[in-house]
Amino acid sequence: MKICVIGQGYIGIPTSALFAKNNCQVTGVDIDKNKVEQINKGQIPIEEPKLQEILEEVINNGSYRARMEPVESDVYIITVPTPFNKEDLSCNLDYVVSACNSIISLVKKDDVIIVESTIAPLSIEKVVKPIFEQEGFTVGKDLYLAHCPERVLPGNMVSELINNNRIVGGVTPECARKAAEVYGIFVKGNIIETEAKVAEMSKCMENTFRDVNIALANELTKICYELDINVLDVIKIANQHPRVNIHSPGPGVGGHCLAIDPYFIYSLVPDEAKIIKLARDTNNSMPLFVANQVKRILSHKDKEVVSVFGLSYKGNSDDDRESPSYEIIRLLENDYEIRIYDPHIPQKSLTFEEAITDSDLIVILADHNEFKHLDYDLLAEKMDEPVIFDTKNVINPENVDSRITLINYGNLKSY
Ligand code: SAJ
């Protein structure tokens, strides 16, 4: 089977590599010339375990080739970004539309077209389907169109792409069946066939569910701070109830999914999506909460260097899209000298020692494994009074010795 994957990013590359590993002839298309060259050399431009060896294998045996233009194929999979429009928070389909336009002259009878990019509910029906109908195709009869959102967690993509259950939402049942056949090539999880609009909404809602739950944990953090109650103890204890799972509070919510997808729903029906919007606002308020706490913790100090530990939006990842760390830095940089340390993003990071020397406060904003056990001897040597503000609860207080002051959301009020 010949497959063309348009958009060679976080999802497009591993998806292409897995189809190629399973006997498909894959063309990966991207407008970024450097990325195309890098892929063809067998190099991945993203940090993703297990992907490198698969990529080398399929590039070397010729089953995966990156190009700047699409080629005639049997299946076209669109994995381009879908940002949100800042003015009305709606889903920006410009890249999806231009990907469709780029293949329109190549598409022939019986081809399968799959949009994997996260899109607002009804996008397939209202925007994508008409592009192909205008060319004379009858979707569901001589062309098969489906929305098949991915659901993988960066850092564990290869195994999740293979093993997770997969939703295939067809414009017609026949479209869903054809798309399910395509994913059946390598997916071992269940492949659930449904309507395109159900698939669109369930993908947006999965991330919204998480965003709303994290907002509740963040709101609880602020409530407990005001009332001087240890929020981390509250969460640990409440979660012993068999049907309760309070999420983890943090410095805000980043990434291109949780921080964006809820807006796709909200912008369609703002009067109904009230909790969704409030959750977004609550999570967006966390960088200011963190910055204000930093200012409060340092209010008695005269020399003020703040070391920001973690730029990426999530632990053990080099992905810094929509990361709350940038907003926190922006809120602090006029008042403090900011030193950044992120071992996963070395190009934007100082060394550990450079970042901590003469620092007044370390603020942990990502739960990287490297932060679980810091070199406390070096901290005691290089910092006058070593203080760590751990917003991700990554450091177990029992592992920290008495030379270090560890502040987290649980004991914040006491400092
Ligand atoms: N976070 C918290 N508290 C928590 C959990 C997460 O503050 O209890 C923060 C993280 O630090 C991060 C953000 O939320 O800033 C998002 O992290 P995440 O790991 O929950 O999610 P993503 O955006 O990396 O991946 C999500 C996943 N969706 C769900 O878990 C419902 C993934 O399965 C999707 O494939 C992905 O979005 C996507 O592409 O949509």
Side-chain angles (χ1 to χ4, degrees):
M1 185 181 279
K2 279 163 79 181
I3 300 184
C4 193
V5 180
I6 299 136
Q8 295 286 288
Y10 281 81
I11 299 300
I13 295 174
T15 301
S16 302
L18 283 172
F19 276 115
K21 194 174 160 54
N22 288 276
N23 305 318
C24 298
Q25 187 60 43
V26 180
T27 304
V29 181
D30 205 283
I31 49 170
D32 181 339
K33 189 163 174 262
N34 290 335
K35 205 182 261 182
V36 167
E37 283 170 2
Q38 234 184 321
I39 295 168
N40 286 334
K41 284 187 203 143
Q43 295 163 356
I44 25 171
I46 52 176
E47 182 183 340
E48 188 55 47
K50 296 194 207 151
L51 186 55
Q52 182 65 46
E53 56 187 77
I54 301 176
L55 186 70
E56 275 171 27
E57 180 191 326
V58 293
I59 291 290
N60 288 339
N61 71 19
S63 52
Y64 176 17
R65 193 90 201 125
R67 293 169 47 103
M68 291 185 70
E69 303 290 335
V71 295
E72 198 181 302
S73 302
D74 308 307
V75 176
Y76 298 87
I77 300 179
I78 297 173
T79 51
V80 293
T82 40
F84 67 102
N85 293 314
K86 293 246 157 47
E87 323 75 63
D88 63 355
L89 306 172
S90 64
C91 174
N92 182 326
L93 290 171
D94 291 353
Y95 297 123
V96 173
V97 170
S98 90
C100 293
N101 288 333
S102 77
I103 58 172
I104 198 96
S105 62
L106 303 170
V107 170
K108 56 190 186 315
K109 193 171 177 308
D110 290 337
D111 283 352
V112 179
I113 297 164
I114 295 167
V115 179
E116 277 208 21
S117 312
T118 305
I119 49 181
L122 309 178
S123 300
I124 291 279
E125 194 61 40
K126 289 191 172 160
V127 180
V128 180
K129 188 172 138 219
I131 296 175
F132 297 98
E133 283 177 340
Q134 273 160 22
E135 288 299 303
F137 289 104
T138 307
V139 172
K141 257 192 156 171
D142 51 18
L143 189 70
Y144 302 99
L145 174 62
H147 172 52
C148 307
E150 51 72 27
R151 303 158 116 182
V152 295
L153 212 52
N156 193 26
M157 278 197 188
V158 173
S159 127
E160 293 213 356
L161 274 174
I162 297 171
N163 297 309
N164 285 3
N165 296 339
R166 197 80 207 212
I167 323 170
V168 292
V171 170
T172 65
E174 188 61 7
C175 293
R177 202 179 59 76
K178 290 276 185 186
E181 275 171 23
V182 173
Y183 288 99
I185 292 174
F186 71 79
V187 170
K188 297 202 175 114
N190 294 330
I191 301 177
I192 302 143
E193 295 174 33
T194 184
E195 292 173 87
K197 61 186 175 185
V198 172
E200 291 165 331
M201 182 59 101
S202 46
K203 165 70 188 190
C204 289
M205 205 56 203
E206 287 163 15
N207 286 331
T208 301
F209 171 89
R210 225 164 137 69
D211 194 53
V212 168
N213 278 283
I214 297 166
L216 196 60
N218 284 332
E219 182 166 295
L220 179 64
T221 298
K222 291 179 175 177
I223 292 170
C224 285
Y225 174 75
E226 288 305 321
L227 302 178
D228 194 11
I229 298 171
N230 186 319
V231 69
L232 300 177
D233 286 348
V234 171
I235 293 173
K236 207 188 301 164
I237 288 164
N239 283 351
Q240 288 179 24
H241 185 293
R243 287 173 297 284
V244 173
N245 176 21
I246 302 178
H247 286 39
S248 308
V253 166
H256 64 129
C257 306
L258 274 64
I260 293 178
D261 300 355
Y263 291 130
F264 293 176
I265 301 175
Y266 170 76
S267 63
L268 292 173
V269 278
D271 291 341
E272 279 72 28
K274 292 194 164 56
I275 294 176
I276 293 176
K277 177 63 163 52
L278 193 56
R280 281 280 67 240
D281 292 345
T282 304
N283 288 332
N284 283 341
S285 75
M286 290 313 285
L288 182 61
F289 178 76
V290 172
N292 285 342
Q293 293 300 332
V294 167
K295 290 179 185 174
R296 193 180 58 76
I297 293 165
L298 288 175
S299 55
H300 65 286
K301 290 256 183 184
D302 43 359
K303 63 176 182 103
E304 289 153 341
V305 176
V306 174
S307 311
V308 168
F309 274 36
L311 273 187
S312 47
Y313 82 89
K314 68 189 285 172
N316 306 318
S317 161
D318 63 348
D319 190 343
D320 60 353
R321 288 174 295 175
E322 314 291 327
S323 173
S325 304
Y326 290 111
E327 176 67 0
I328 293 168
I329 292 169
R330 197 186 65 73
L331 291 165
L332 292 174
E333 67 192 353
N334 288 338
D335 299 317
Y336 305 97
E337 179 189 336
I338 304 291
R339 308 247 188 92
I340 294 168
Y341 175 59
D342 193 323
H344 291 264
I345 312 186
Q347 65 281 16
K348 295 184 186 168
S349 169
L350 299 166
T351 64
F352 175 66
E353 192 169 334
E354 286 164 349
I356 61 164
T357 301
D358 295 327
S359 171
D360 296 293
L361 180 69
I362 292 173
V363 194
I364 296 184
L365 301 177
D367 43 357
H368 293 325
N369 284 341
E370 290 85 346
F371 300 161
K372 283 186 184 158
H373 300 279
L374 295 170
D375 181 343
Y376 297 122
D377 290 333
L378 200 60
L379 286 190
E381 186 191 322
K382 297 288 177 188
M383 292 172 76
D384 267 358
E385 271 176 70
V387 185
I388 301 173
F389 175 25
D390 176 8
T391 69
K392 292 294 291 185
N393 196 23
V394 58
I395 299 178
N396 181 346
E398 286 172 14
N399 297 334
V400 177
D401 65 52
S402 57
R403 295 169 298 174
I404 313 292
T405 303
L406 177 66
I407 307 173
N408 57 30
Y409 280 166
N411 64 9
L412 187 55
K413 190 83 176 185
S414 339
Y415 293 93

